[in-house]
Amino acid sequence: MIEGFDGKEEIALEIRAAVLQKIVLYMKHYKDLDPPKIEKPLRATIEEILPAWDADFINLEHEMLFELTIGASFLAINPLLDLTNAKIASLIKGKTPEEIKSIFNI
């Protein structure tokens, strides 16, 4: 139980069902396992530093990746937040500001 809540309060989630499904998938996968620790700063690609399951799981379209990051943050799922942040960092690592703008359609 979350401290300060008795379980009767409603929490409004502004998370699309597809994003929530990804979060549940991640939580089920790591139910009895420890998620991998992600070294910071990244010294290699996501595929090189993560187990195959995680690398495949986080290989998402940018919109889903950003929504998953927001959902992980909102729900305080720190290992998932670290994973999404690492993926975002890997997308911009070594890129010029113009390339980053192009990647994120800014």
Side-chain angles (χ1 to χ4, degrees):
M1 178 155 311
I2 300 173
E3 188 175 314
F5 294 97
D6 63 9
K8 296 176 184 171
E9 293 86 358
E10 291 185 17
I11 299 173
L13 293 177
E14 303 242 352
I15 299 173
R16 287 187 310 123
V19 176
L20 190 56
Q21 286 175 333
K22 286 292 279 187
I23 292 170
V24 169
L25 177 63
Y26 181 87
M27 298 301 291
K28 283 183 176 181
H29 181 76
Y30 283 111
K31 177 183 175 210
D32 297 318
L33 301 170
D34 289 331
K37 299 284 185 207
I38 300 173
E39 286 189 38
K40 299 168 195 141
L42 293 178
R43 304 212 184 276
T45 66
I46 291 291
E47 293 76 19
E48 294 170 330
I49 63 170
L50 292 175
W53 189 91
D54 294 271
D56 184 56
F57 174 85
I58 203 64
N59 189 19
L60 305 167
E61 293 181 13
H62 294 161
E63 181 180 354
M64 174 63 93
L65 177 60
F66 296 136
E67 289 182 50
L68 190 58
T69 303
I70 292 166
S73 176
F74 181 79
L75 296 171
I77 306 169
N78 292 332
L80 179 56
L81 184 59
D82 288 345
L83 179 60
T84 59
N85 286 337
K87 178 64 177 185
I88 292 167
S90 75
L91 292 173
I92 64 174
K93 185 176 182 177
K95 304 284 193 284
T96 66
E98 291 76 26
E99 291 170 320
I100 294 170
K101 288 177 183 179
S102 175
I103 289 170
F104 297 119
N105 296 319
I106 299 174

